[in-house]
Amino acid sequence: MNSLRIKKMELGPIGTNAYLVWEEGGKEAILIDAPPESKEEVIPILERESLLLTEIWLTHGHWDHMAGAAELATSSVKVVGHLADQMLFEKPAVMSTFAIPGMEFQPIAITQWVEEGDTLDLLGRKVSVYHCPGHCPGNVIFFVEAEKICFVGDVIFAQSIGRADLPGGDFSTLESSIQKKIYTLPEETEILPGHGPNTTVGNERRGNPFVRPE
């Protein structure tokens, strides 16, 4: 198995992280989250590396994480999301009240609904799916144990946490998600968040001022 390459991209009007993942010397790529402007950034990388985009995994349905998916999701691209955010994926106009005025969003058809306990395949590596609501109802995280990495969307950031004041958010639920799902991962696990720099489970367990371990 060749080494994994991860291209982190800060995209869209509010600096949302997306991650294009492929294997060294491989032919396929997976995109984790698709902010506005994803196509302009992703297509040149695919062409340069001779890659085919085969899957898009959406950590949740907020506009800044899914609004670029429709431009990339051809009929051959599998799109993954959680059913609790179905309305956000299929009728994104409902987010206009907390988006940038004037923006228009295309719906995205989820082709594989995932839930707690499901597993995905990341280029030959097992990925465990955990449902982590609180920021929004359908936030999921993708834990790649073999690589000691976890893509977390907007559940937790470096020394911060996701907002819980948007529709469908709840702080106590978010706190529980972090304590039971994030903080129970191995301490050396690298957290790849939806905004800002990467961190580790250990760093957040010891120093996150918003949620302490149980």
Side-chain angles (χ1 to χ4, degrees), residues 62 85 131-139 154-156 161-179 210-211:
H62 281 166
D85 279 356
H131 183 209
C132 293
H135 171 65
C136 68
N139 205 129
D154 287 358
V155 176
I156 191 169
I161 59 173
R163 292 177 61 177
D165 61 338
L166 296 173
D170 178 77
F171 176 76
S172 63
T173 303
L174 180 62
E175 182 180 44
S176 178
S177 291
I178 293 170
Q179 291 172 334
F210 297 95
V211 176

Side-chain angles (χ1 to χ4, degrees), residues 14 16-18 32-36 38 56-69 89 135 139 153-154 157 193-195:
I14 61 172
T16 303
N17 294 331
I32 300 175
D33 281 342
S38 289
I56 298 173
W57 298 358
L58 299 174
T59 60
H60 61 295
H62 281 166
W63 67 269
D64 60 312
H65 290 258
M66 58 70 70
F89 294 130
H135 171 65
N139 205 129
D154 287 358
F157 309 123
H195 300 272

Side-chain angles (χ1 to χ4, degrees), residues 58-62 66 80-83 85-92 95 106-110 113 138:
L58 299 174
T59 60
H60 61 295
H62 281 166
M66 58 70 70
V80 169
H82 192 279
L83 189 61
D85 279 356
Q86 182 176 12
M87 180 176 287
L88 302 181
F89 294 130
E90 296 180 355
K91 298 180 179 179
M95 293 182 279
Q106 291 180 270
I108 181 67
I110 303 298
W113 298 107

Side-chain angles (χ1 to χ4, degrees), residues 97-200:
T97 56
F98 59 91
I100 294 175
M103 294 192 73
E104 296 183 1
F105 308 121
Q106 291 180 270
I108 181 67
I110 303 298
T111 58
Q112 180 179 347
W113 298 107
V114 291
E115 58 186 24
E116 177 80 21
D118 285 351
T119 59
L120 296 171
D121 179 89
L122 182 70
L123 307 170
R125 297 152 178 85
K126 177 184 175 183
V127 179
S128 298
V129 178
Y130 297 99
H131 183 209
C132 293
H135 171 65
C136 68
N139 205 129
V140 289
I141 66 173
F142 304 112
F143 174 49
V144 193
E145 184 175 6
E147 300 288 338
K148 299 179 180 178
I149 58 175
C150 190
F151 301 92
V152 301
D154 287 358
V155 176
I156 191 169
F157 309 123
Q159 301 297 288
S160 187
I161 59 173
R163 292 177 61 177
D165 61 338
L166 296 173
D170 178 77
F171 176 76
S172 63
T173 303
L174 180 62
E175 182 180 44
S176 178
S177 291
I178 293 170
Q179 291 172 334
K180 298 182 185 304
K181 309 290 176 66
I182 302 287
Y183 287 170
T184 55
L185 297 175
E187 285 215 341
E188 67 273 17
T189 303
E190 184 176 15
I191 291 173
L192 285 69
H195 300 272
N198 296 359
T199 182
T200 66

Side-chain angles (χ1 to χ4, degrees), residues 5-11 15-22 31-32 35 41-42 45 151 157-158 190-199:
R5 295 188 61 184
I6 302 175
K7 172 63 175 178
K8 181 178 181 179
M9 302 164 284
E10 189 176 6
L11 304 174
T16 303
N17 294 331
Y19 301 89
L20 188 66
V21 185
W22 70 97
L31 179 64
I32 300 175
E41 186 79 13
V42 169
I45 300 172
F151 301 92
F157 309 123
E190 184 176 15
I191 291 173
L192 285 69
H195 300 272
N198 296 359
T199 182

Side-chain angles (χ1 to χ4, degrees), residues 20 29-31 42 46 51-56 72 74 76-77:
L20 188 66
I30 294 173
L31 179 64
V42 169
L46 297 175
L51 297 167
L52 177 67
L53 182 67
T54 57
E55 301 183 29
I56 298 173
L72 291 166
T74 64
S76 61
V77 175

